[in-house]
Amino acid sequence: MALKIVKGSIDRMFDKNLQDLVRGIRNHKDDEAKYISTCIDEIKQELKQDNIAVKANAVCKLTYLQMLGYDVSWAAFNIVEVMSSSKFTYKRIGYLAASQCFHEGTDVIMLTTNQIRKDLSSPNQYDTGVALTGLSCFVTPDLARDLANDIMTLMSHTKPYIRKKAVLIMYKVFLKYPESLRPAFPRLKEKLEDPDPGVQSAAVNVICELARRNPKNYLSLAPLFFKLMTSSTNNWVLIKIIKLFGALTPLEPRLGKKLIEPLTNLIHSTSAMSLLYECVNTVIAVLISLSSGMPNHSASIQLCVQKLRILIEDSDQNLKYLGLLAMSKILKTHPKSVQSHKDLILQCLDDKDESIRLRALDLLYGMVSKKNLMEIVKKLMLHVDKAEGTTYRDELLTKIIDICSQSNFQYITNFEWYISILVELTRLEGTRHGHLIASQMLDVAIRVKAIRGFAVAQMATLLDNAHLLTGNTQRNGICEVLYAAAWICGEFSEHLEDPMQTLEAMLRPKVATLPGHIQAVYVQNAAKLFATVLRKHDGETESQAAQETSQLLIDRLPLFVQSANLEVQERASCILQLVKYIQKLQQKNVEVAEEVTALFAGELNPVAPKAQKKVPIPEGLDLDAWINEPPSESESEDEKPKAVFAKEEPKHSRSRHTEVDEKELARRREVRKQEQANNPFYIKASPSSQKVYDAPGVEHIPVVQIDLSVPLKVPGMPMSDQYLKLEVERRQKEKAERKKKEKKKKREKRGKERKADSGPESEEDITPAHQVDIVTEEMPENALPSDDDDKDPNDPHKALDIDLDKPLADSEKLPVRTHRPEALKSPAEDRDSESVPQETKKKSGKEKKKDKEKDRKRSKEEKKKKKKHKEVEEELLESQPEEAVQSEETKEAAAPPTSTSAEASDLDFWLSSAPVPPAAQEVTAPSSAAAAVDTSSAAAPESEPDEPKDTEPEDTKSSKHKKKKQKKEKEEKEKKKKKRHHHHHQHHSDAGGEDSVQNGTVEEEEPLPPMSNYSLLAENSYIKMVYDIQGNHQDESKVVVSVIFENKSDSFLKSMEFNVLDSLNSKLQRPEGAGAHDSLTVPFQLPPGVSNEARFVFSVQSIIMPQKLKGTLTFIVKSDESSTHEKLDFKLHFTCTSYLITTPCYSDAYAKLLESGDLKGSSLRLEGINMPFHHLLARICFHHHFSVVERIDSCASMYSRSIQGHHVCLLVKTSDQTVSIDAKCDEPSLLGNVLDEIKQTFSKC
Amino acid sequence: MIKAILIFNNHGKPRLIRFYQYFAEDMQQQIIRETFHLVSKRDDNVCNFLEGGSLIGGSDYKLIYRHYATLYFVFCVDSSESELGILDLIQVFVETLDKCFENVCELDLIFHMDKVHYILQEVVMGGMVLETNMNEIVAQVELQNRMEKSEVRTFLNSFL
């Protein structure tokens, strides 16, 4: 035995090690490949030996060869062998090799599970570390599932070295095995406050990475991160957190407000550029997420822009680059502030660094105006000429087109110029963007009618010089332009000067070398041109020209008939036959021009790109329903069809077949039509929609003077510059004229005002060179405004979109170490499972169940323990001395929130409380105390960053805390009692439920009694009417009354007519032409027992008083034998409440509103109210259209707005069955009436 | 996330490659070539960021690199990484190499690719930054090297 070892190690001495291999390769520069192949043979021999040292050496060399591009996967098994060596030296080599060449498709990976598990639990921390590092590179869904629990344990390892690695690798585990996220998350969260900064940083890293993809699930961690941000000094951690906040702010504007101040402080204080830059970035994100209504935002924007300017001006190119990058983010929302730095950005366009030029290009997009567009584009065109690489040139090209075409060609004043630019761009060699230019040409020619003449002339020149574009095979991309050119010349051929010449150009034999789709357009448009030529020579008897044209086509078209492209072939042969026929007619001297032109009559209008997608599905059309009877159930539909339509299957599975006879369908259609006609919210097809395209015809447009002398004759010459000059001259002329006029005016008004602006001309002053009429794109009627962009369904992060706040369920515990007999799957199966992780679940369902069963016992025990633990914690919390009140943030961190809703409301509370971080809190003179107390109910947050914070609000906060706690305790006790008494009752043991009413966003825990807004209008034995009145913000003088008609009789009700006696103040809106006393037909009939809703629009003038309108409903009752005419009177009660609209209001805005002093107060007391407070609030919200702004204990602030913009604020307090409501509104009588109505609501119950 | 770390010399010869996302070997070589092509034609006084690597990732990815004497250190990262942060990290990594190899030069990387990997493993793990403190990194690397030496010693002792 000993001899063998000695022999092995002596062998080894003669083996090459890595250094020898490298040296050898360097010495064989000429025949490297050959040398390496002999080395690989040697390695194969070495791998066959038993000696692990030899094997490890071989594997080490393989790792090197892998870097050189050699596939070493054949040695995967040997790598596993080396990995399982007991020696750290070899193990490390093995894991390194594995991390370099293993991937999910490597089948030996499944052999490693137990080895890795062993290494993870090794007493040597470096064994564990090496295993973790390796695993992080090749973890598979199977490994992740099997090892998740082990890794989770390591997160609490004693050594920080292991902890931080375990924390980091969890991210990879989550990605591969999303089910592990929820069970592991609490521990991960704990690690955010690990004493070791490395571990903390790792945890921040992982959570940031998770949150970046699914930010909304991590919003509740905001307070914790906020605390870290204000306390951490590690720039890495700070950068990550600040980046994370950048991702969170779009979801929660209040968070942004809280962030601005500490971030601004950091911007001012930090010396680290990286940190400064990220702060600026996040501030920008905050400002984007906030509406620009806040006054002090301009200061922040200014700060950002100013800091960025410093970066851009820096000599360090990196800072310059980043400055421009961040600038482009501001550009989207605050273009004005960026525009003032135009000089700087234009300067960057000339930078020698391509990255910087590209960034500057991005910014240009927002820099252009009508005034400078031509100038900027000219500059870009110069760059295009100079550009060396094609990528940069293509980028320039797309940018030019982007800039010019943005917002519907808004900045283009001279389309002739634009067309010339496009034509110039076609001279670019080897660009990929031929289609882009082509589509622009088409777009402009179609939509700008005035330019067609010019465009056609240019396109004809292009076609004539097509050889310039197609001559070189490298220029393939650009020949797309010919597609556009041919189409434009054909479609608008009436503008052609010499259609015959163009026709000739389009039928040259060389055309046959173009791509098929272009040839097809050529052929089709040749026919259009043919028609034009015929028409030109219409009337001339025995026109030689017309017959020559026919002959030309007959001669040239056969070339296309032979085309391999089906489309070309079909069109060509079709047109060829047509022309032959026409020729015959011509020879008989028959007038054909008219008929041929008719073939291409009509105009094509542009269609919006997503028009098809936006066609709404008509009401009542069920796309999933069967058209015919479904195949009989007995047929085995589970086998064959599934195999074929595997993907579509789920969609159809829901389909239900509706059996409706035709009569019923017809009736429904009728009903629907009437309903639509009556529904004020239904956007009707306007009969004049076609006018848009027809009315402003070409006649109205002043004829454009085309300067054809130079540009048309020399196709390659740049001519856009000419336009620039012309434009400048034209503008100067206009300006001069305008000045003259002004002077005249001035003379008239002499001495009155001297306001004339002699400064630079403003945007509006620049008139386009000629009247352009940009035709809008067609959209289907009733197009849906929203279009949801589908996310990439393959994104692995999608699976991680998991609610982390929900309490853990039993079934979610991680699988604990068990022996897995199925571990040896066939490789094929294994491969399947990687490609579709979902499938793995199904397949391994059995084993999972086993695991779970085993787990369950354990987890139950754990749970019990946890419960106990929790209780202890709670007790601790509650018994805390009340004097030692900490700030909200620290408390949050110290006590892990007990439940979801508590957490949610804690977040709300944190967000709504004052934005000053504890670190920055200063105790100064109590100047704002009064204000703070005044709005204490709303927890008035001051948004001014420099607002001094005094001690008093601090106190109120703490007292609130106390109350909250006491209340929680009380409730717990009560609930416990209740539990004892009614054990069978279902109870929600959620202590936080009470607090969750804030903003009305969180669901109520206790069930509310059913409520309905509909109140009875009138009723008799035939019919019952209930109604509801709603207003909307769009129209301050209209409310909609929805009336539900219910047929109570056994007869058919029809011809229902609804009429109301108008008052001066409120009027029923009747269709045009109807008299003031005419009644409205209810747009449906009611079969027995059926109810339906109709809506009527009323116009109102004053809304401060309630009003009653008398009305009548007449209808015909039709039974089998007879029909009678019936009548029902009613009174429509327009309460003041019905003019209120539920409007959410943030607490700070609310506080400002109250402070403004514009509101007048009033109050109300309700005695003997015997209902839970949240029921009370819910009732006010529901019946009177209020929303809760903030709620603290038994006190809540509420807000609503009238359709005419009156603010109504309530402060509702309750104690011992007494409810007091303090109200404020800017219209006292409205307020009085609303309060009366609230009183009535509660007197009813 | 860091997608890949590439070290190659002025001629595009790879000295260390570390992909945190699977690519087949030939694709890896293609990426190296493309990256070298992009990076090598840039002057030393232009910025250290560049977009346009078409093979890895796409628009979200950026190349952040530093050029030291004969070597390029290129990190391919996505938008969750701070650009300047990664530049600092490259600096930390190179300084660590300098400490571990005592005046590191290209030859050290050529002959001790494995050791460079072990050092890198202490800086970046699975595409995420593990440690940025140089002293901590050096300490961990040295501890592991010491362990390796002791193992070799016991191995040799077994013969005596």
Side-chain angles (χ1 to χ4, degrees):
Chain A
M1 185 62 198
L3 192 70
K4 209 176 173 187
I5 295 172
V6 171
K7 192 171 168 285
S9 50
I10 288 173
D11 276 349
R12 209 199 137 188
M13 309 231 172
F14 300 110
D15 289 337
K16 285 190 196 98
N17 61 12
L18 176 63
Q19 282 74 29
D20 298 326
L21 176 76
V22 175
R23 212 166 284 130
I25 293 174
R26 287 163 73 82
N27 289 336
H28 291 78
K29 283 227 167 80
D30 303 327
D31 51 348
E32 197 183 284
K34 200 179 151 206
Y35 178 75
I36 289 177
S37 75
T38 56
C39 287
I40 289 181
D41 285 340
E42 282 170 23
I43 290 170
K44 278 183 179 161
Q45 287 305 316
E46 288 164 21
L47 288 176
K48 279 181 191 152
Q49 293 189 33
D50 287 337
N51 191 322
I52 194 71
V54 177
K55 268 187 193 167
N57 183 44
V59 165
C60 185
K61 286 191 282 185
L62 281 179
T63 313
Y64 184 82
L65 293 178
Q66 195 272 344
M67 179 178 79
L68 299 183
Y70 290 85
D71 178 18
V72 296
S73 54
W74 49 269
F77 185 76
N78 304 104
I79 293 173
V80 174
E81 280 182 308
V82 177
M83 276 162 72
S84 50
S85 157
S86 58
K87 287 219 162 48
F88 172 73
T89 317
Y90 306 140
K91 192 185 287 297
R92 183 153 85 154
I93 293 172
Y95 271 105
L96 174 61
S99 67
Q100 287 293 79
C101 64
F102 281 12
H103 55 94
E104 285 194 6
T106 310
D107 42 16
V108 292
I109 280 193
M110 60 193 169
L111 302 178
T112 60
T113 315
N114 279 317
Q115 179 57 41
I116 296 173
R117 179 172 285 148
K118 212 174 105 193
D119 289 337
L120 289 181
S121 52
S122 156
N124 181 344
Q125 63 161 326
Y126 291 109
D127 282 352
T128 315
V130 156
L132 284 171
T133 308
L135 188 61
S136 72
C137 295
F138 57 78
V139 61
T140 62
D142 280 337
L143 281 177
R145 186 190 59 230
D146 297 336
L147 297 172
N149 201 51
D150 301 73
I151 298 170
M152 212 167 104
T153 329
L154 288 180
M155 278 163 72
S156 317
H157 199 272
T158 49
K159 297 263 185 4
Y161 178 75
I162 297 302
R163 283 209 302 274
K164 72 181 177 196
K165 286 197 169 194
V167 167
L168 269 194
I169 203 179
M170 275 324 274
Y171 177 64
K172 295 276 173 163
V173 173
F174 296 150
L175 278 185
K176 300 287 176 187
Y177 179 54
E179 288 88 336
S180 60
L181 177 56
R182 292 202 349 104
F185 195 72
R187 192 169 294 181
L188 184 60
K189 212 164 112 185
E190 266 170 50
K191 294 296 142 199
L192 283 176
E193 297 183 276
D194 196 278
D196 184 85
V199 182
Q200 199 184 32
S201 150
V204 169
N205 222 334
V206 170
I207 292 182
C208 289
E209 204 63 51
L210 288 169
R212 200 165 72 92
R213 310 293 183 149
N214 301 297
K216 65 175 189 311
N217 299 337
Y218 298 86
L219 213 50
S220 58
L221 289 182
L224 192 51
F225 275 116
F226 190 84
K227 189 196 146 212
L228 276 177
M229 184 176 83
T230 45
S231 59
S232 175
T233 51
N234 181 345
N235 278 353
W236 264 97
V237 171
L238 280 175
I239 287 174
K240 282 278 170 192
I241 293 175
I242 288 167
K243 265 186 169 282
L244 173 69
F245 276 134
L248 291 182
T249 41
L251 302 171
E252 179 54 88
R254 286 178 290 171
L255 177 62
K257 278 181 210 157
K258 224 174 151 73
L259 283 172
I260 282 221
E261 202 223 332
L263 285 179
T264 330
N265 287 344
L266 266 178
I267 289 177
H268 283 302
S269 64
T270 185
S271 60
M273 274 301 178
S274 46
L275 186 58
L276 171 89
Y277 172 68
E278 296 305 339
C279 285
V280 169
N281 247 335
T282 299
V283 170
I284 293 169
V286 167
L287 294 175
I288 290 172
S289 73
L290 293 174
S291 52
S292 49
M294 301 288 285
N296 50 350
H297 282 173
S298 55
S300 307
I301 279 283
Q302 278 316 310
L303 177 68
C304 287
V305 174
Q306 177 202 331
K307 284 282 171 186
L308 289 179
R309 185 172 176 112
I310 293 172
L311 289 186
I312 296 173
E313 281 173 335
D314 199 290
S315 60
D316 185 345
Q317 297 282 331
N318 292 331
L319 298 183
K320 195 175 273 217
Y321 172 88
L322 293 175
L324 290 170
L325 194 65
M327 217 41 136
S328 64
K329 286 178 194 157
I330 300 186
L331 183 68
K332 282 173 204 143
T333 48
H334 300 83
K336 286 252 165 61
S337 7
V338 182
Q339 264 157 16
S340 52
H341 300 282
K342 202 175 85 192
D343 54 322
L344 196 60
I345 287 151
L346 286 177
Q347 207 179 308
C348 289
L349 268 187
D350 295 325
D351 202 283
K352 57 188 179 303
D353 189 345
E354 191 178 299
S355 299
I356 286 176
R357 288 201 304 262
L358 282 174
R359 291 282 72 82
L361 270 183
D362 281 350
L363 280 169
L364 264 192
Y365 188 80
M367 299 280 118
V368 291
S369 62
K370 279 183 179 165
K371 209 170 64 179
N372 61 15
L373 176 72
M374 287 177 143
E375 232 171 290
I376 288 182
V377 171
K378 185 188 170 191
K379 198 161 181 186
L380 293 182
M381 291 298 281
L382 283 180
H383 279 284
V384 171
D385 287 338
K386 279 192 287 180
E388 57 279 6
T390 46
T391 19
Y392 178 58
R393 215 181 45 188
D394 281 357
E395 191 65 27
L396 275 169
L397 192 156
T398 44
K399 271 284 136 37
I400 291 176
I401 289 180
D402 273 1
I403 288 172
C404 291
S405 63
Q406 68 173 309
S407 33
N408 226 355
F409 305 108
Q410 188 192 341
Y411 298 117
I412 295 185
T413 50
N414 186 339
F415 277 90
E416 281 181 36
W417 165 82
Y418 187 45
I419 293 270
S420 341
I421 288 283
L422 289 175
V423 171
E424 268 174 50
L425 287 175
T426 61
R427 289 180 298 117
L428 288 187
E429 264 185 68
T431 178
R432 289 179 289 122
H433 293 301
H435 62 276
L436 205 62
I437 305 175
S439 71
Q440 283 296 305
M441 286 174 169
L442 288 172
D443 212 16
V444 173
I446 294 170
R447 292 168 65 182
V448 187
K449 286 186 177 166
I451 202 64
R452 283 182 189 162
F454 181 76
V456 166
Q458 290 291 299
M459 295 303 121
T461 323
L462 261 187
L463 285 177
D464 214 22
N465 295 290
H467 57 278
L468 292 178
L469 300 179
T470 53
N472 196 330
T473 40
Q474 273 196 327
R475 308 179 116 187
N476 267 339
I478 205 68
C479 64
E480 288 292 328
V481 174
L482 294 175
Y483 178 97
W487 190 87
I488 292 170
C489 283
E491 186 66 23
F492 308 120
S493 51
E494 69 268 18
H495 298 285
L496 269 181
E497 277 207 333
D498 187 358
M500 188 61 195
Q501 191 195 345
T502 311
L503 182 61
E504 203 275 331
M506 279 167 70
L507 292 170
R508 283 179 200 150
K510 197 107 201 256
V511 172
T513 57
L514 290 172
H517 66 283
I518 300 179
Q519 283 186 55
V521 169
Y522 264 69
V523 172
Q524 184 72 14
N525 286 287
K528 289 183 197 165
L529 282 178
F530 175 58
T532 317
V533 174
L534 287 188
R535 219 169 78 178
K536 253 196 171 166
H537 300 288
D538 201 12
E540 304 169 22
T541 44
E542 273 190 55
S543 161
Q544 199 61 34
Q547 288 191 13
E548 268 172 24
T549 319
S550 313
Q551 195 52 46
L552 177 74
L553 278 168
I554 290 167
D555 289 346
R556 300 282 177 83
L557 277 176
L559 178 68
F560 297 100
V561 176
Q562 291 161 9
S563 169
N565 187 297
L566 265 185
E567 177 94 11
V568 180
Q569 203 186 68
E570 198 178 351
R571 289 186 188 212
S573 60
C574 207
I575 289 166
L576 183 60
Q577 291 311 316
L578 186 72
V579 176
K580 277 182 183 165
Y581 181 67
I582 290 168
Q583 197 184 32
K584 268 185 209 161
L585 291 177
Q586 278 176 333
Q587 278 156 4
K588 289 179 197 162
N589 260 338
V590 183
E591 288 285 321
V592 282
E594 198 83 355
E595 275 96 355
V596 179
T597 324
L599 284 176
F600 305 107
E603 195 171 327
L604 293 172
N605 285 321
V607 175
K610 283 174 184 167
Q612 178 74 46
K613 213 168 120 191
K614 294 195 172 180
V615 177
I617 297 174
E619 225 178 295
L621 173 65
D622 184 1
L623 288 175
D624 292 335
W626 290 94
I627 296 172
N628 298 313
E629 278 296 296
S632 61
E633 304 273 323
S634 60
E635 253 177 78
S636 62
E637 49 180 352
D638 46 350
E639 279 162 23
K640 271 194 178 173
K642 241 181 206 168
V644 184
F645 299 112
K647 278 178 188 166
E648 285 105 318
E649 204 57 15
K651 268 189 193 168
H652 295 293
S653 59
R654 271 189 297 126
S655 66
R656 59 208 150 81
H657 42 272
T658 41
E659 292 162 79
V660 200
D661 56 312
E662 265 176 56
K663 264 190 196 167
E664 172 72 5
L665 273 178
R667 196 189 60 77
R668 279 192 198 171
R669 212 171 292 135
E670 192 53 41
V671 168
R672 194 165 59 238
K673 266 187 196 164
Q674 279 191 320
E675 212 171 297
Q676 287 174 355
N678 252 278
N679 187 346
F681 299 116
Y682 193 89
I683 306 162
K684 282 150 205 149
S686 70
S688 58
S689 63
Q690 286 197 325
K691 252 193 252 164
V692 181
Y693 309 108
D694 297 336
V698 194
E699 306 80 48
H700 305 277
I701 299 161
V703 179
V704 184
Q705 282 187 346
I706 302 175
D707 185 2
L708 293 174
S709 52
V710 186
L712 278 187
K713 298 287 139 57
V714 192
M717 272 273 284
M719 48 188 184
S720 52
D721 293 357
Q722 227 182 323
Y723 287 101
L724 190 58
K725 272 187 214 156
L726 282 176
E727 183 72 13
V728 172
E729 280 168 23
R730 189 178 68 84
R731 279 184 201 169
Q732 276 172 346
K733 225 174 160 184
E734 269 177 28
K735 215 176 171 183
E737 272 173 27
R738 216 177 301 132
K739 265 192 184 163
K740 262 187 205 166
K741 276 186 196 166
E742 268 171 29
K743 268 184 190 167
K744 266 186 195 169
K745 273 186 198 166
K746 258 190 208 167
R747 256 175 240 154
E748 285 162 14
K749 289 186 192 174
R750 199 185 307 158
K752 267 189 180 177
E753 273 179 78
R754 288 205 174 178
K755 232 185 169 181
D757 49 335
S758 50
E761 47 188 330
S762 63
E763 276 289 277
E764 289 77 14
D765 292 346
I766 300 169
T767 50
H770 40 261
Q771 197 65 45
V772 282
D773 148 50
I774 299 175
V775 183
T776 44
E777 292 166 322
E778 270 185 354
M779 273 297 239
E781 287 159 5
N782 315 330
L784 302 167
S786 66
D787 59 322
D788 8 82
D789 289 321
D790 330 357
K791 278 185 185 169
D792 179 16
N794 294 326
D795 186 6
H797 300 279
K798 226 180 156 186
L800 287 180
D801 189 359
I802 296 167
D803 183 5
L804 295 164
D805 295 331
K806 264 196 310 197
L808 265 188
D810 255 7
S811 57
E812 282 183 296
K813 290 282 188 286
L814 286 177
V816 187
R817 175 186 308 195
T818 47
H819 181 61
R820 296 203 314 121
E822 292 98 326
L824 285 160
K825 269 192 280 179
S826 75
E829 211 179 339
D830 200 54
R831 221 165 288 136
D832 275 353
S833 62
E834 308 130 14
S835 54
V836 193
Q838 245 74 9
E839 261 179 39
T840 340
K841 265 196 268 168
K842 271 187 215 160
K843 275 184 188 162
S844 54
K846 269 187 197 168
E847 53 192 61
K848 242 191 185 171
K849 259 185 201 163
K850 272 187 202 165
D851 284 1
K852 268 184 206 159
E853 268 166 19
K854 282 188 184 170
D855 293 359
R856 206 159 287 158
K857 282 182 195 166
R858 258 184 75 164
S859 60
K860 266 185 192 165
E861 281 172 20
E862 271 177 18
K863 232 194 162 185
K864 268 185 200 165
K865 269 185 207 164
K866 266 191 192 164
K867 241 187 183 172
K868 262 186 199 166
H869 187 66
K870 239 188 210 170
E871 276 171 19
V872 170
E873 250 173 8
E874 271 171 22
E875 273 171 28
L876 269 175
L877 245 179
E878 280 161 10
S879 62
Q880 249 174 7
E882 275 160 11
E883 292 82 9
V885 180
Q886 294 160 304
S887 71
E888 183 65 21
E889 284 85 2
T890 45
K891 180 161 265 169
E892 281 267 345
T898 46
S899 72
T900 342
S901 46
E903 200 162 297
S905 62
D906 279 348
L907 178 67
D908 269 353
F909 186 81
W910 177 75
L911 285 170
S912 57
S913 63
V916 182
Q921 247 173 35
E922 291 164 278
V923 182
T924 43
S927 59
S928 65
V933 171
D934 190 36
T935 56
S936 64
S937 62
E942 284 90 13
S943 41
E944 291 84 24
D946 293 325
E947 186 76 37
K949 200 73 194 146
D950 53 8
T951 44
E952 240 178 282
E954 185 67 55
D955 276 354
T956 48
K957 219 202 241 173
S958 63
S959 66
K960 260 182 256 158
H961 245 354
K962 268 187 258 168
K963 270 188 210 160
K964 214 177 181 181
K965 246 187 276 156
Q966 282 167 353
K967 202 181 177 209
K968 265 191 193 172
E969 269 173 75
K970 232 193 230 168
E971 274 168 10
E972 294 257 293
K973 273 179 202 163
E974 273 174 17
K975 270 185 188 143
K976 272 178 200 163
K977 264 186 212 165
K978 271 186 195 168
K979 258 185 196 168
R980 254 170 251 148
H981 286 300
H982 334 265
H983 223 50
H984 53 283
H985 251 281
Q986 208 189 332
H987 269 292
H988 304 266
S989 56
D990 197 347
E994 281 283 297
D995 300 21
S996 61
V997 198
Q998 292 192 6
N999 284 334
T1001 49
V1002 188
E1003 281 179 324
E1004 280 293 343
E1005 287 293 345
E1006 265 177 83
L1008 274 168
M1011 287 191 284
S1012 165
N1013 250 343
Y1014 284 95
S1015 44
L1016 186 68
L1017 186 59
E1019 187 175 18
N1020 64 12
S1021 55
Y1022 296 107
I1023 195 164
K1024 181 180 173 184
M1025 299 196 289
V1026 289
Y1027 76 111
D1028 179 34
I1029 304 174
Q1030 296 125 9
N1032 66 13
H1033 276 310
Q1034 270 94 52
D1035 203 330
E1036 57 171 40
S1037 62
K1038 284 202 176 71
V1039 287
V1040 177
V1041 179
S1042 316
V1043 184
I1044 298 179
F1045 299 90
E1046 188 192 342
N1047 186 349
K1048 289 166 58 186
S1049 67
D1050 298 325
S1051 319
F1052 204 87
L1053 300 187
K1054 57 180 227 178
S1055 309
M1056 288 187 281
E1057 298 207 334
F1058 184 87
N1059 200 3
V1060 169
L1061 219 62
D1062 291 352
S1063 73
L1064 274 178
N1065 193 34
S1066 314
K1067 291 186 170 65
L1068 174 61
Q1069 296 247 303
R1070 296 179 168 85
E1072 267 179 28
H1077 304 292
D1078 288 358
S1079 51
L1080 285 183
T1081 313
V1082 179
F1084 45 74
Q1085 303 176 332
L1086 287 177
V1090 170
S1091 60
N1092 204 341
E1093 184 173 12
R1095 288 175 171 176
F1096 304 94
V1097 182
F1098 283 79
S1099 63
V1100 289
Q1101 280 179 348
S1102 163
I1103 60 160
I1104 57 169
M1105 297 284 277
Q1107 192 159 27
K1108 282 184 182 168
L1109 290 187
K1110 274 186 189 167
T1112 333
L1113 181 80
T1114 57
F1115 53 93
I1116 293 173
V1117 183
K1118 199 180 173 209
S1119 56
D1120 287 345
E1121 313 88 33
S1122 63
S1123 63
T1124 52
H1125 207 264
E1126 291 289 345
K1127 188 179 140 189
L1128 177 61
D1129 290 331
F1130 57 80
K1131 266 186 192 171
L1132 259 176
H1133 191 184
F1134 288 89
T1135 57
C1136 282
T1137 292
S1138 54
Y1139 302 126
L1140 296 182
I1141 300 167
T1142 316
T1143 317
C1145 179
Y1146 286 122
S1147 50
D1148 46 352
Y1150 188 80
K1152 279 221 173 98
L1153 189 64
L1154 287 177
E1155 278 171 15
S1156 69
D1158 298 333
L1159 309 183
K1160 289 163 191 76
S1162 175
S1163 64
L1164 174 71
R1165 261 179 98 80
L1166 300 168
E1167 302 279 351
I1169 298 296
N1170 200 6
M1171 65 170 83
F1173 189 50
H1174 69 266
H1175 282 194
L1176 180 101
L1177 293 183
R1179 267 174 196 276
I1180 298 178
C1181 287
F1182 187 78
H1183 290 297
H1184 299 281
H1185 309 167
F1186 278 86
S1187 61
V1188 180
V1189 177
E1190 189 134 49
R1191 177 176 165 203
I1192 293 124
D1193 294 338
S1194 56
C1195 179
S1197 49
M1198 307 180 88
Y1199 176 77
S1200 184
R1201 234 179 104 177
S1202 77
I1203 55 172
Q1204 295 180 355
H1206 305 288
H1207 305 281
V1208 188
C1209 306
L1210 300 184
L1211 179 61
V1212 186
K1213 288 182 219 154
T1214 180
S1215 61
D1216 294 330
Q1217 303 201 351
T1218 310
V1219 177
S1220 68
I1221 300 177
D1222 288 309
K1224 281 191 172 181
C1225 175
D1226 36 13
E1227 181 52 60
S1229 54
L1230 175 69
L1231 182 63
N1233 289 320
V1234 169
L1235 287 181
D1236 283 347
E1237 283 162 24
I1238 292 177
K1239 197 173 177 179
Q1240 256 179 19
T1241 309
F1242 288 100
S1243 65
K1244 276 182 209 159
C1245 47
Chain B
M1 282 278 280
I2 300 168
K3 272 251 163 158
I5 295 170
L6 308 174
I7 305 177
F8 45 72
N9 71 0
N10 288 347
H11 305 290
K13 285 244 184 248
R15 294 305 175 211
L16 176 135
I17 56 171
R18 174 74 277 201
F19 286 89
Y20 294 103
Q21 180 193 345
Y22 172 69
F23 290 103
E25 273 77 10
D26 48 346
M27 190 62 184
Q28 292 185 353
Q29 293 301 314
Q30 236 173 300
I31 292 171
I32 296 169
R33 272 196 298 275
E34 190 201 54
T35 314
F36 171 69
H37 184 72
L38 285 170
V39 166
S40 61
K41 66 179 181 201
R42 292 172 66 83
D43 288 342
D44 269 350
N45 53 0
V46 300
C47 77
N48 298 95
F49 316 118
L50 105 140
E51 293 139 85
S54 56
L55 297 173
I56 299 188
S59 59
D60 193 28
Y61 291 93
K62 234 181 227 145
L63 298 175
I64 298 175
Y65 73 97
R66 269 182 189 272
H67 189 197
Y68 294 93
T70 59
L71 289 175
Y72 285 100
F73 288 71
V74 186
F75 280 44
C76 174
V77 302
D78 67 13
S79 59
S80 72
E81 299 295 340
S82 145
E83 290 89 347
L84 293 171
I86 293 291
L87 270 185
D88 286 349
L89 185 74
I90 299 178
Q91 184 66 29
V92 167
F93 178 48
V94 173
E95 279 177 31
T96 313
L97 288 179
D98 199 50
K99 255 196 180 168
C100 294
F101 286 108
E102 285 157 15
N103 286 326
V104 70
C105 69
E106 193 186 342
L107 281 177
D108 291 314
L109 273 83
I110 295 173
F111 287 105
H112 303 284
M113 183 206 72
D114 48 346
K115 299 212 167 53
V116 181
H117 264 296
Y118 300 143
I119 294 168
L120 181 61
Q121 280 176 359
E122 298 303 321
V123 183
V124 179
M125 185 177 133
M128 282 179 290
V129 180
L130 180 68
E131 185 59 68
T132 51
N133 180 345
M134 189 168 65
N135 296 330
E136 171 73 14
I137 300 167
V138 174
Q140 295 298 345
V141 170
E142 272 174 3
L143 274 170
Q144 290 178 59
N145 288 344
R146 212 170 296 154
M147 227 176 89
E148 194 175 281
K149 270 180 201 149
S150 74
E151 276 183 359
V152 173
R153 211 171 299 130
T154 48
F155 176 75
L156 290 176
N157 286 345
S158 67
F159 296 112
L160 307 174

